[in-house]
Amino acid sequence: MLNKGQKVNAKITAIVNYGAFCEVIDEDQVIKGLIHISEISDFFVKSVDEFLALNEEYEVEVIETLTDKNQVKLSYKSIRPELLKTPETKIKETKSGFDNLKNSVES
């Protein structure tokens, strides 16, 4: 069975609004996998098919194995630094909070 942190090639078999189903070959055994939409990118993902295409293979990382079900949870973003948020890419909060909105609304 595959191990957490292992990098594997996954073939996309279906794309749905919450992620992509795929297959991983491990020692001549087909293992079903899911790349959840939250594992596509740290940034907003409008549609999974903007990142992944049906019947294409992608290198992904195993984040969890479900041995009893012969399934794996996979991450697309974890091996692509450009899809991960960093302190420089996070939205910076202002100290004013809702004050600007409050001041613009008449009492």
Side-chain angles (χ1 to χ4, degrees):
M1 192 64 175
L2 303 171
N3 297 313
K4 183 177 180 178
Q6 185 176 348
K7 291 173 181 54
V8 295
N9 287 324
K11 183 177 180 180
I12 306 302
T13 57
I15 295 176
V16 292
N17 60 356
Y18 56 86
F21 290 98
C22 54
E23 292 180 344
V24 176
I25 306 294
D26 180 46
E27 299 176 4
D28 296 327
Q29 179 182 15
V30 176
I31 299 170
K32 301 288 183 184
L34 173 67
I35 306 169
H36 189 267
I37 193 168
S38 65
E39 291 298 328
I40 302 289
S41 174
D42 280 349
F43 302 97
F44 180 72
V45 177
K46 183 177 180 180
S47 179
V48 175
D49 60 10
E50 292 176 356
F51 295 85
L52 305 172
L54 196 59
N55 296 318
E56 292 293 322
E57 277 196 20
Y58 299 92
E59 185 177 29
V60 294
E61 183 176 347
V62 176
I63 55 175
E64 186 178 350
T65 58
L66 307 169
T67 310
D68 56 326
K69 296 181 180 181
N70 198 34
Q71 298 175 343
V72 289
K73 294 181 183 179
L74 304 164
S75 177
Y76 177 80
K77 70 181 182 182
S78 67
I79 57 175
R80 293 169 178 81
E82 69 276 10
L83 298 177
L84 300 173
K85 285 188 180 176
T86 65
E88 293 80 34
T89 59
K90 287 187 179 179
I91 297 173
K92 294 186 176 29
E93 293 184 34
T94 62
K95 300 294 180 201
S96 62
F98 287 110
D99 289 341
N100 291 340
L101 179 61
K102 182 176 124 185
N103 294 336
S104 69
V105 177
E106 292 184 47
S107 303

